[in-house]
Amino acid sequence: MIVTVKKNADPKLLKDLIASFEKRGLQVNDSQGSNYHILGLIGDTTLLDEKMIKANPIVDEVTRIAAPYKKANRLFHPEDTIIDINGIKIGGNEKIAVIGGPCSVEGLDQICSLAEKVKEAGAVMLRGGAYKPRTSPYAFQGLETEGILDMVEARKRTGLSIVSELMDSDQIEEFDKYVDMIQIGARNMQNFTLLKAVGKKTKKPVLLKRGLANTIEEWIMSAEYIMASGNPNVVLCERGIRTFEKYTRNTLDLSVVPIIKEKTHLPIIIDPSHATGNWKYIETMSLAAVAAGADGLIIEVHENPECAWSDGAQCLKPDKFKHLIDKARNIAHVIGRDI
Amino acid sequence: MIVTVKKNADPKLLKDLIASFEKRGLQVNDSQGSNYHILGLIGDTTLLDEKMIKANPIVDEVTRIAAPYKKANRLFHPEDTIIDINGIKIGGNEKIAVIGGPCSVEGLDQICSLAEKVKEAGAVMLRGGAYKPRTSPYAFQGLETEGILDMVEARKRTGLSIVSELMDSDQIEEFDKYVDMIQIGARNMQNFTLLKAVGKKTKKPVLLKRGLANTIEEWIMSAEYIMASGNPNVVLCERGIRTFEKYTRNTLDLSVVPIIKEKTHLPIIIDPSHATGNWKYIETMSLAAVAAGADGLIIEVHENPECAWSDGAQCLKPDKFKHLIDKARNIAHVIGRDI
Amino acid sequence: MIVTVKKNADPKLLKDLIASFEKRGLQVNDSQGSNYHILGLIGDTTLLDEKMIKANPIVDEVTRIAAPYKKANRLFHPEDTIIDINGIKIGGNEKIAVIGGPCSVEGLDQICSLAEKVKEAGAVMLRGGAYKPRTSPYAFQGLETEGILDMVEARKRTGLSIVSELMDSDQIEEFDKYVDMIQIGARNMQNFTLLKAVGKKTKKPVLLKRGLANTIEEWIMSAEYIMASGNPNVVLCERGIRTFEKYTRNTLDLSVVPIIKEKTHLPIIIDPSHATGNWKYIETMSLAAVAAGADGLIIEVHENPECAWSDGAQCLKPDKFKHLIDKARNIAHVIGRDI
Amino acid sequence: MIVTVKKNADPKLLKDLIASFEKRGLQVNDSQGSNYHILGLIGDTTLLDEKMIKANPIVDEVTRIAAPYKKANRLFHPEDTIIDINGIKIGGNEKIAVIGGPCSVEGLDQICSLAEKVKEAGAVMLRGGAYKPRTSPYAFQGLETEGILDMVEARKRTGLSIVSELMDSDQIEEFDKYVDMIQIGARNMQNFTLLKAVGKKTKKPVLLKRGLANTIEEWIMSAEYIMASGNPNVVLCERGIRTFEKYTRNTLDLSVVPIIKEKTHLPIIIDPSHATGNWKYIETMSLAAVAAGADGLIIEVHENPECAWSDGAQCLKPDKFKHLIDKARNIAHVIGRDI
């Protein structure tokens, strides 16, 4: 960390500042020139709070050099983390995991019928929302526990593991009991109470979606919250970020794939459905994601998108979903992987 | 709501679509031209889900004309809502309410001493964080219940009502018992579970901060969640939005003041501390906020900003805070209000 | 176009408004309900100015349904436009065109040596900046005419066609004479004077980069400027947009590939160098771009990136560039194309 | 400037790097720790190119500490620059200058009649667009030279100095002859060719608008371009930035007022018309701008906004404009200024 000290700073205050760093076990290099005065802090600066240092009246600027995360950091954990979900492996050079299913669970028949179809198409897991984060209080809020139990039945019939979104720490017990991977949605990416709770109260893998306007570093810090609280099983999921573009719902940022692999050891999967918001662009963006090296895809599938209870515009029909997987498999082979 | 139908749409599907709208009590005007075909829906479209309609294969585009909120809508509630907090009134043409206090409660002595000073300076309420949403799991997370009880003591000594941030629905009972206004932070603006909980389980006024990258409409929809769940006492708070600018922490959007007053009947207050992230700009932006017609200001004050346990860089010392209020009072008089 | 009229609008003003539309040859459908009053305009609304209509005191909202572009619109020109540059074809199902070269031309030897190497690697065109748009007036501004002539010599020696950025209409004559494809940079995407000039004064293909914070529609409108001014030979180039992300220079938006192909008939190429700003991510994003269906790639190549006069961090060395092309070719084959 | 060197960097390359800095007259402080290795560069780093340094394979990160601008920098020019336009003074503690007029000049009668009215209302300068940057090639592009001459006549009749937008370096001679302040529009803020031209070919004051998605630092760098090219007479103008908000055309960033005054010595004026895009919010935002310390306001005024040839929705009628100025004057008095 670099601390720029103001010109003509009071020597007493400067001495105190340096002492405060040294007390934390940091080594301080003091460089002074005609125009600037810089302190270089050497050691573990993860626990330092830039804003607190910046509040010191003799400090002009604070620049962090080392990443503020540790548990998620590739530097301290060079090998890939591979998440195992009932034998399905995500990450490393494992098969690319395709997860399919509806935005919302709409009932037992719907989810079971769809589960059969996504399995036939080549998916290895089933997604389905039972608790739904909706912008409007008047929109459908999900079947809740009933939806979770419908998914459990679909798993029983097809053998597909299931993933669903958790919205409140009160539901962790339910999710820990029934669900195979727990999704934290984009709008809850910085719901720190929830992150700590899934870190402490469960060891089930957590699928952590990137917030709509969050940087990759903030996203990794949210993974760090879960990991620091005790649950190392985190899978990151890019689902598009908010930009000025209006032709898509959000903008899919595929550069996260090489970056997450460089900075962390965690698996990264891509959600082209929420990113584009338009079924017409999903196949194309899925192929691009696989070419970029994604460890998985999570895609919305519905038998009658026009009747879906939520997000119909971004659902693929099962036959198109199968077509996508077949094409993506060929791309995967080119880069030395499989689906 | 306007639904643009595709050219050469199957007449059977079109008939079904129109019937589905009429079944919901809407009147449908069908306009057809050489290039376009439009359905105008007349009636209460609040409950319609655009995305669901858009998923229909014969639909090209869906455009909402009416606002998607009702309870917060000025159209259906023309008079200003005035929130009363132990006699302090916020909104309408009432005195502009100034709320001051530290980012984090750091102990009984700190908060009580500061409470005296912000009161002397002219503040009518005391702010202080006991549960802190921090980007890093390694940063100070707040004194929690101890912090709340310290604020209660500060209220007892000074008579100032208190506001603090709620991060989890499990704490509502505590907040309902001890706190006078419950803050929902920017990162929880779309934590819909929490919004429903403060709507259902308390009638205490809620200070709803705008999310870092949310539109005004999404923000009003979050107020609508609280109101639709049973709690009409919402005060909106702008605290800056994320932009590309690096010289400020966020960008303060003062145009929310006239817009919130036009679209809703709720009070709007401004937080220049989080918006700018720099104590040097706080007074200027406070004067601007008052000139724009804000119903209140919420400002971070600390006796030793350089030692603050969080956000020191954006704290004012008590004397500067007093100076700000005095100057803002003169601006208020020009626009026919008082502080 | 949909015009929402205010409730209780003066019937005289309404009649005038409707007449003003009919005078322009539009058919007007008037739909009136209990809450809303809507005019649907049928016909060619390209020439209407929404903002002018919105200024009418009886108008509440104006919503454009039809795209505001014509010449670039796929609707009126269903077949793909294929741009021919000295026999190199870009667009349709032609070979994916790879363009390589340095950010800045640094001298005759550099550009000629590099031209040989990018040709060997598989590139079909040479890029090189002679006029450089730099944020700082103190940064290297390019070799100007000397740089252009150096590229001409490199073309002579290798047979590679050349592309370079035009910054001022005064240079069009020079570019028309010497350069094979004229680049308009991101910062000039809405320099309408320049767009009109390259439309009027040359028929050379124009490589139009997307602005840093522009929507796809605005970008297409800039292509429309060139085309409406007389030059139909436009190739679009995505080079990343500005977002809040800090780990990349910009965010590459690959969803533009399917969208540009749906909305327009123009070729679309991808610049992963400026988008990521980091040579480590270029290969990955290039593979993704090819999988998404891009018609070309434009990549910065330099023999000694650490000594490049500009943008060294985002340059590939020639051997890495060759490796990228070979890998991308395999991806291309999967989707039925070649490089 | 801080250069972070990679661990285990080749000592030969490191020595070369340090030598390259020293050759430019910089002093290099080398700080090495267990995890990081940092070079602190002391001296004039304005001319260094971060990206070029970052391309060096032994360099990990480059952090600029000193501002990259000199001529505009308050540090090297502590007193306020006051721009004199035919006796009207802008900046320092001078009267707040109000500039009014139509978006587009529509003819001699219109501009002369309006000039009388904005003068009566209290404006000291007349604005009017003769060359118009429009997103669509089919929208009205301005009266060009005829429009400029109409404004010259309006000046003759009223004595008001005139400001109009320049879009091409070919028109500088015309503007230098006829116009009193030359506006560079938001979309041309990084048209570096044009910036250099108005720096070299004229000494007329330049009103430099902030780009729609540009940082304050980039904006100051554009001012630096003009100043470094020979014209020190720059007035900065904030006109709103692009954000996700839809209820306003752009988001007015009033924090630029204290920041521009801190970082530079140049005057700063505010354009609430383009920022909000809605006449209803203009007065409020103007009062806020004055309270924040703006040195001027530039506001669109039109006698019949509903018939304006461009941007009617954001025009004030002359009586509302007068009302605004009167109210703003009272705010100005509170902060010790006048209008």
Side-chain angles (χ1 to χ4, degrees), chain B residues 3-17:
Chain B
V3 177
T4 314
V5 175
K6 283 186 185 142
K7 266 166 112 169
N8 311 320
D10 178 332
K12 166 78 178 66
L13 293 177
L14 176 62
K15 218 178 123 191
D16 290 354
L17 180 65

Side-chain angles (χ1 to χ4, degrees), chain B residues 88-109:
Chain B
I88 300 296
K89 286 174 181 162
I90 306 182
N93 209 39
E94 298 293 331
K95 278 188 169 192
I96 296 162
V98 181
I99 305 168
C103 181
S104 301
V105 179
E106 296 169 17
L108 185 63
D109 291 349

